[in-house]
Amino acid sequence: DSATMGAKRRVAEEEDGPADPAECEKGHLRGEATDPAMSSRTKSIESRVSTSASFPLHETWTQTGYKSTLVGTFLYSLVVLVHLVIQFLLLFLTIQYYVQQEAITRLGPPVFQDEIQVLMAFEITWMVGFVWCFFLKYPNSIRSLFLRRCLHGEATYVAVAAPVQTVDTHYQNKRIVKFLLVLGNAFRSVLSFVYSDDDARRASIGTTYKVTFCKIRIDEATGAKHFYFRMRRYVYSEERRRYVPGSWDVTAGATIGSWLDDAYAHRGLSKVEASRRWGTVGPNVLDLKKPTPVGSIIQEFSKPFYLYQNFMVWTWAPFWYYYMAIVNTVVRLTGGFVVAFFQYGSDLDLYRLMVMEGTADVVREGEVVTVDQTDVVPGDIVRLRPGAANFDMCIVQSKRVLVDESALTGEVHPIAKIPLDPADSHRTYHPKTHKSSTISAGTTILECSEGQNIEDADLAIVTQTGSFTAKGELLCDVLSYERHKFKFDTEVQLILFILCVEAAVLLSVVFSVLKDHWCYSWFYAMFVVGTVLPPLLPTVFVVSVGISCKRLQRKRITCTDSRGILVAGKVRKAFFDKTGTLTKQGINFVSALEGEELNNLTASKNNAESSYVCQNEIDIELQIGLSVCHTLSLSADGELVGAAVDRMGFSAVPNSQLLDENTVSFDGEKIEYLKKFEFDHHTMTQSVIIRHDNNVTVYVKGAPEAIGKLCIPSSLPSHFEAKARQSARDGIYQLAMATATFNVNKSMNEVTREDIENELSFAGFINFQNAMKEDTPAVIQSLREGNVSSTTRAFVARR
């Protein structure tokens, strides 16, 4: 769960040292702005330390400040120019060779005296250019070589170094891996010494550091300095003198009661406060650059093996092998353009998924104003309206809100959302504990009240924006995911090393065998190297990957890392999560059994689930419980909306009808809801308080093990726990129901879950089952034929 990963990390100090871990775990980071222009809007920088996957546990992240200088920019320009000059010189010398051979006569007399001179010039240029370009492939960026290290406050770039595990832990003790690590570390040590790369020197235990140079930006409105790393915004803290995550903790110092107070809910933030918070969290966007065809082409041809291809193709250009150079160039360019085109399509689809557009109705200083959704900040009170949710919210006032969460959770049915319970006024909001009141970014609001007045509208408080929302967390995890390292990835390095050794040996053999001038032997030696290490071999994989990406796109599957396609055939075990994958969506009601009926059941080995079917009518206590203990609501067209378990259980009682949010008709009699408690993942229960025939009763439904602990022991059937465990083995999804008479001496607004969920009387079990899909056995058999074993729930596996 990304919401519980990584609050503990270290950040570099001004001198690039580790930060205090205890300080990193604080809920707030505050600093005083020194710029007078910033003081009115960004006087204090408050940011909640993100617990997202961007900062995993037990790993060291560092940030180092750099700034660009006039001298550095000039030198960088010269390096880029040298790259171009090398290619131009190779082209010029190739043309001069054919001028020397009198194959080209329109360019005047030859510059060189003879063939040997022009070939020697070509070879020297080629070798110098290859070494020059090869070694400049090692740094994270060429421009970073010409940046000057400085304090964070003066920086125009921040280098974020994050560790990357190079091998799997179960494979790192192999001799081959140790050998490759020694070679790799020795090579990196030499280059890190040349480039003064401290992060590379830390790769002595199988861990390398990936360094990303992030450009510092300055907000025009607030003057806040910030940068984006893996879509997250980091703002400069004057107090800590480093960059900290730019999120805002709206729960700090606030309780649910303060949110429900009309003085806050109906007034909202002031414009000054909203601007101040915007300076910290920034615009409500997922910072991903829009892909362009040119950018995708440059990114593709910047990969290392294109460098090798480029110089190997040049070896064919002179010496009357120009036709081979033309063929190889056409193939290389075609393959590269095809992959770049496919990757551009995938990146564009991902960008469209992430882009957020539209406006929002925000309460500012007691008035509802319409602002661009990018200007919404945490703590804003927004008026709900149908459409996509672009930020995480918590409902503080509503009549009826229906949300489609299928984009995030896969739940196919709409979910009813309710406002926060005043009984929790003393508590602090948490998105999991108060899930029934939470609307996450990426979901869609289907229905809500659209009152024009603040008092009549459905209102919610914004809790997170940007990459800190549920949608942002999900996309950050996807885009920052490091592909699993297969055994293949490690051993291919050994193969490459062996081929390089073979090429070096054959290179020396060619020079020793051929008795011609060395400049001629050099070309034949390079042809042998090209045979051992074919420059077009990667193109075969490149084109196949591009075609695979296109086929996946036709099936509405976006591939963010095309390298993963090549290792898809390495899969040997498939894990399935049963519900909705191997089984049909939804759930079927099987039976509702009271304690006595449960004791009389006997399991059948041939058809275990049939033993849970009872021919008798459902007990009246369980019928009432199924009719009232749920979170169902009615949509605008009268359809039942809610969890599948609640809908199936309610539908199993034919003489019950949901009249409105607060009333149920059972057997012609009206039952009034006094209070509802949503399902809680910690207690594994949900409960209601109802009035029926002038009696106030409590009904509680939940997991059997949870209900068993809340019930009076004498009310439980014999072998209660054993029967509950057996039902799981038999493929039955089982819930338990319990009841009690309400005798709490409090007003309903003050009644809590703990007040009623105790001293209960067991009522019975409610049994459901997921039906397996018809094509599931065929799919599993196909995997077996492909030598892929599958793992799923034991009952489904037996079926």
Side-chain angles (χ1 to χ4, degrees):
D1 188 341
S2 61
T4 59
M5 295 174 61
K8 201 175 183 181
R9 68 201 184 273
R10 301 176 195 169
V11 186
E13 300 280 1
E14 286 295 320
E15 64 276 8
D16 198 25
D20 182 7
E23 188 178 4
C24 292
E25 292 179 341
K26 293 180 181 178
H28 293 276
L29 306 176
R30 293 184 175 86
E32 297 298 324
T34 57
D35 186 352
M38 296 171 56
S39 59
S40 62
R41 292 178 179 175
T42 57
K43 187 175 181 180
S44 66
I45 297 178
E46 298 182 37
S47 64
R48 178 180 64 81
V49 175
S50 173
T51 57
S52 70
S54 295
F55 288 92
L57 287 168
H58 312 304
E59 292 186 347
T60 302
W61 298 67
T62 63
Q63 52 174 274
T64 309
Y66 292 89
K67 64 180 180 181
S68 57
T69 61
L70 183 62
V71 175
T73 303
F74 174 73
L75 294 176
Y76 168 71
S77 302
L78 286 182
V79 170
V80 175
L81 182 62
V82 169
H83 274 76
L84 300 177
V85 168
I86 289 173
Q87 301 300 314
F88 174 79
L89 283 176
L90 290 174
L91 176 62
F92 172 76
L93 294 172
T94 300
I95 295 175
Q96 284 300 313
Y97 173 81
Y98 291 105
V99 171
Q100 182 69 39
Q101 298 295 312
E102 298 182 353
I104 299 177
T105 57
R106 297 183 179 180
L107 298 180
V111 176
F112 296 88
Q113 296 180 359
D114 53 29
E115 181 184 41
I116 292 180
Q117 273 193 351
V118 67
L119 290 179
M120 289 176 61
F122 179 90
E123 292 163 1
I124 293 173
T125 303
W126 188 97
M127 290 184 288
V128 172
F130 181 81
V131 173
W132 172 269
C133 296
F134 175 78
F135 278 96
L136 285 179
K137 272 293 179 184
Y138 171 79
N140 296 280
S141 69
I142 299 178
R143 185 175 183 83
S144 65
L145 298 176
F146 304 98
L147 298 176
R148 184 178 179 181
R149 189 167 174 170
C150 64
L151 301 179
H152 289 75
E154 305 171 359
T156 56
Y157 290 87
V158 169
V160 181
V164 178
Q165 194 68 24
T166 57
V167 294
D168 289 339
T169 55
H170 70 276
Y171 191 55
Q172 64 183 0
N173 293 326
K174 300 287 186 179
R175 292 182 180 179
I176 178 177
V177 176
K178 292 182 177 179
F179 174 70
L180 292 175
L181 282 177
V182 171
L183 289 180
N185 290 338
F187 177 75
R188 282 191 292 268
S189 297
V190 173
L191 293 184
S192 63
F193 175 77
V194 174
Y195 294 113
S196 300
D197 188 353
D198 294 331
D199 293 313
R201 299 179 191 178
R202 304 173 191 172
S204 59
I205 56 173
T207 301
T208 57
Y209 283 76
K210 181 178 181 180
V211 181
T212 304
F213 281 81
C214 306
K215 185 176 179 60
I216 300 298
R217 312 178 194 178
I218 300 178
D219 288 328
E220 295 182 0
T222 64
K225 294 189 290 184
H226 65 279
F227 69 87
Y228 283 89
F229 175 64
R230 293 184 178 178
M231 297 196 302
R232 292 228 185 277
R233 177 184 171 101
Y234 296 85
V235 295
Y236 182 69
S237 168
E238 290 286 350
E239 179 184 8
R240 303 187 68 190
R241 296 184 180 180
R242 73 173 69 93
Y243 287 83
V244 297
S247 69
W248 196 280
D249 187 2
V250 295
T251 64
T255 62
I256 291 177
S258 64
W259 288 2
L260 297 178
D261 187 358
D262 290 346
Y264 176 73
H266 292 172
R267 181 166 180 79
L269 299 176
S270 66
K271 295 180 180 178
V272 174
E273 176 66 15
S275 178
R276 184 170 70 91
R277 297 189 181 192
W278 194 93
T280 298
V281 301
N284 177 38
V285 297
L286 297 174
D287 189 71
L288 184 67
K289 186 178 180 180
K290 184 176 181 179
T292 62
V294 174
S296 298
I297 292 172
I298 294 175
Q299 183 179 9
E300 177 63 26
F301 283 98
S302 298
K303 295 178 179 178
F305 69 83
Y306 282 105
L307 173 66
Y308 173 73
Q309 283 185 341
N310 175 66
F311 279 91
M312 291 306 296
V313 167
W314 275 118
T315 61
W316 295 95
F319 216 50
W320 294 100
Y321 283 113
Y322 62 88
Y323 52 87
M324 286 295 296
I326 293 174
V327 172
N328 285 329
T329 300
V330 171
V331 174
R332 182 169 63 95
L333 292 178
T334 302
F337 278 115
V338 168
V339 174
F341 173 75
F342 289 146
Q343 189 62 45
Y344 167 73
S346 297
D347 293 344
L348 189 60
D349 290 340
L350 185 62
Y351 174 80
R352 290 169 179 166
L353 176 66
M354 298 177 62
V355 67
M356 297 184 291
E357 299 176 345
T359 59
D361 295 334
V362 181
V363 180
R364 296 272 173 87
E365 298 179 347
E367 296 182 358
V368 178
V369 296
T370 301
V371 300
D372 192 278
Q373 67 87 23
T374 59
D375 294 329
V376 176
V377 297
D380 263 330
I381 301 295
V382 296
R383 181 172 65 185
L384 301 181
R385 59 188 183 186
N390 292 323
F391 27 77
D392 288 352
M393 299 174 283
C394 179
I395 302 175
V396 296
Q397 174 182 303
S398 71
K399 296 179 180 178
R400 183 183 72 246
V401 178
L402 297 182
V403 178
D404 178 8
E405 296 183 339
S406 58
L408 285 182
T409 65
E411 174 60 50
V412 296
H413 299 285
I415 302 296
K417 298 292 183 178
I418 60 174
L420 291 169
D421 189 352
D424 293 334
S425 295
H426 62 286
R427 297 184 177 180
T428 301
Y429 165 79
H430 191 278
K432 284 191 174 181
T433 306
H434 304 93
K435 184 178 179 181
S436 59
S437 302
T438 300
I439 301 177
S440 300
T443 61
T444 302
I445 301 176
L446 301 178
E447 296 180 12
C448 64
S449 302
E450 299 184 64
Q452 297 301 315
N453 298 325
I454 297 179
E455 294 77 9
D456 301 328
D458 291 344
L459 302 178
I461 182 173
V462 178
T463 57
Q464 291 291 357
T465 59
S467 63
F468 293 95
T469 62
K471 177 181 178 180
E473 293 276 3
L474 178 63
L475 291 173
C476 282
D477 289 345
V478 171
L479 295 180
S480 62
Y481 170 72
E482 291 292 340
R483 184 175 66 83
H484 180 78
K485 297 294 183 180
F486 288 88
K487 181 180 178 181
F488 165 83
D489 295 307
T490 304
E491 292 187 345
V492 75
Q493 300 176 27
L494 179 63
I495 299 301
L496 182 62
F497 174 74
I498 294 174
L499 292 178
C500 289
V501 172
E502 180 185 0
V505 171
L506 294 178
L507 189 72
S508 61
V509 169
V510 171
F511 275 103
S512 62
V513 171
L514 294 181
K515 303 302 180 181
D516 209 342
H517 194 281
W518 71 266
C519 70
Y520 298 113
S521 301
W522 184 89
F523 279 97
Y524 289 112
M526 296 309 299
F527 297 157
V528 171
V529 172
T531 304
V532 176
L533 294 170
L536 294 184
L537 181 60
T539 303
V540 177
F541 296 104
V542 165
V543 174
S544 64
V545 165
I547 295 174
S548 299
C549 284
K550 190 64 176 178
R551 289 175 177 172
L552 289 173
Q553 282 184 339
R554 294 185 189 137
K555 296 181 179 294
R556 299 177 61 117
I557 299 174
T558 297
C559 182
T560 58
D561 186 1
S562 57
R563 297 174 301 168
I565 296 177
L566 293 177
V567 296
K570 304 293 290 185
V571 175
R572 289 295 174 262
K573 184 175 287 292
F575 293 85
F576 294 96
D577 64 342
K578 190 175 76 68
T579 304
T581 306
L582 299 180
T583 60
K584 296 178 181 178
Q585 286 285 357
I587 198 169
N588 297 327
F589 177 82
V590 176
S591 64
L593 307 174
E594 61 174 335
E596 291 299 325
E597 292 175 318
L598 186 67
N599 287 331
N600 297 329
L601 292 181
T602 56
S604 170
K605 293 183 179 180
N606 296 328
N607 192 5
E609 61 268 29
S610 65
S611 64
Y612 293 87
V613 179
C614 184
Q615 303 301 326
N616 300 328
E617 185 178 355
I618 301 176
D619 179 72
I620 189 67
E621 194 85 62
L622 287 175
Q623 288 191 46
I624 297 177
L626 289 171
S627 301
V628 300
C629 195
H630 52 70
T631 56
L632 297 176
S633 61
L634 293 173
S635 64
D637 55 4
E639 294 292 330
L640 286 176
V641 175
V645 170
D646 289 342
R647 287 186 291 103
M648 293 297 102
F650 184 84
S651 301
V653 184
N655 53 348
S656 63
Q657 181 182 1
L658 184 62
L659 301 181
D660 54 45
E661 303 293 326
N662 300 312
T663 312
V664 172
S665 174
F666 174 74
D667 204 13
E669 300 178 353
K670 290 186 178 181
I671 300 176
E672 179 187 359
Y673 284 110
L674 300 181
K675 191 155 191 175
K676 295 181 182 180
F677 292 97
E678 299 283 328
F679 180 80
D680 186 278
H681 288 273
H682 297 288
T683 64
M684 301 297 288
T685 60
Q686 70 178 92
S687 52
V688 294
I689 306 174
I690 64 168
R691 178 182 285 117
H692 181 217
D693 290 337
N694 295 324
N695 296 320
V696 179
T697 310
V698 173
Y699 280 90
V700 183
K701 181 176 68 176
E705 57 271 21
I707 296 296
K709 295 177 181 178
L710 302 176
C711 288
I712 300 172
S714 60
S715 68
L716 295 174
S718 58
H719 308 294
F720 172 82
E721 295 181 357
K723 292 182 181 295
R725 289 194 298 269
Q726 182 61 42
S727 66
R729 289 192 289 267
D730 292 336
I732 297 297
Y733 175 67
Q734 193 171 74
L735 296 176
M737 181 81 71
T739 183
T741 300
F742 179 77
N743 54 10
V744 180
N745 190 19
K746 291 182 179 180
S747 66
M748 283 300 166
N749 283 339
E750 297 175 343
V751 174
T752 63
R753 182 187 297 270
E754 292 76 12
D755 293 331
I756 62 174
E757 294 185 359
N758 59 74
E759 297 297 316
L760 304 173
S761 296
F762 181 76
F765 280 124
I766 309 168
N767 303 307
F768 302 88
Q769 189 178 43
N770 289 112
M772 191 168 60
K773 293 180 179 179
E774 290 79 4
D775 58 348
T776 293
V779 171
I780 299 299
Q781 182 60 31
S782 298
L783 290 174
R784 289 175 178 172
E785 294 173 356
N787 197 27
V788 177
S789 60
S790 57
T791 300
T792 184
R793 188 175 174 180
F795 173 77
V796 176
R798 290 196 299 267
R799 292 291 299 273

